[in-house]
Amino acid sequence: MLQSDPLQRLALLLKQEAILHASPSQPIGTPTGTHGGWMLYTWNCTLTAPGALLAGQCVLQALASFESTQLATMGYTAVPIMSSCILQGEGRYTGLCVRQQRKGHSSFRRIDGPRRGGDPGGVVLLDDSISTGSSMLTAIAALEEEGFRVEGCICLVNF
């Protein structure tokens, strides 16, 4: 049966393509330094045309309940998702990338991307997954320190 709901199609694609299993040629490490049996690897979906399209469609559906027109992500994994939303958002959204630390040269920024006027305004934070929430909390703190108001957070997978 062909699924027409983007969320169902994305869930199926993630299940089929975004789970890496440990093997001799593909070790999996955990944040605590132990070996894991599997991990979510959304790059296998979000860096393909069908996966990026579906992820963007699903996040855009969730974004409909927010007022903010600025999207932000910390790290790299949600950049393709954010880019898909910007491309499919009909000019409504701009993106921001949050660094772990302020850049030590060039612009010296911790938040990269177009800032809207003098008042940065509201932001919706995006990520591919949330397990502990520590990346989200770090990004929220960085955005708030720079004067942004974080309206909410959206992720594809919540562990």
Side-chain angles (χ1 to χ4, degrees):
M1 178 178 159
L2 182 63
Q3 298 173 338
S4 60
D5 177 35
L7 188 57
Q8 289 177 338
R9 291 182 8 237
L10 179 62
L12 181 61
L13 186 62
L14 288 169
K15 184 178 176 183
Q16 291 172 341
E17 302 294 333
I19 307 296
L20 285 185
H21 295 277
S23 69
S25 63
Q26 176 58 72
I28 305 290
T30 68
T32 60
T34 61
H35 293 285
W38 67 276
M39 68 172 279
L40 179 69
Y41 190 76
T42 57
W43 295 108
N44 282 348
C45 292
T46 60
L47 289 178
T48 68
L53 182 68
L54 285 171
Q57 289 172 348
C58 292
V59 171
L60 284 170
Q61 285 177 359
L63 283 168
S65 64
F66 292 97
E67 292 180 12
S68 299
T69 59
Q70 289 190 302
L71 309 177
T73 181
M74 180 157 201
Y76 299 108
T77 55
V79 170
I81 300 164
M82 182 173 65
S83 296
S84 180
C85 292
I86 292 167
L87 286 169
Q88 295 182 70
E90 299 178 352
R92 177 173 165 80
Y93 299 104
T94 58
L96 301 167
C97 291
V98 181
R99 295 175 180 274
Q100 284 284 352
Q101 296 179 7
R102 184 172 301 281
K103 193 172 180 178
H105 56 85
S106 300
S107 67
F108 298 98
R109 288 186 174 190
R110 183 157 186 207
I111 313 295
D112 286 311
R115 295 165 185 239
R116 298 244 165 124
D119 176 21
V123 175
V124 177
L125 192 56
L126 307 180
D127 208 343
D128 68 326
S129 66
I130 297 177
S131 53
T132 66
S134 62
S135 292
M136 284 284 194
L137 293 174
T138 300
I140 290 168
L143 286 160
E144 289 177 345
E145 286 171 15
E146 296 285 330
F148 292 92
R149 177 184 51 81
V150 178
E151 185 181 358
C153 305
I154 297 173
C155 69
L156 297 182
V157 178
N158 182 9
F159 288 102

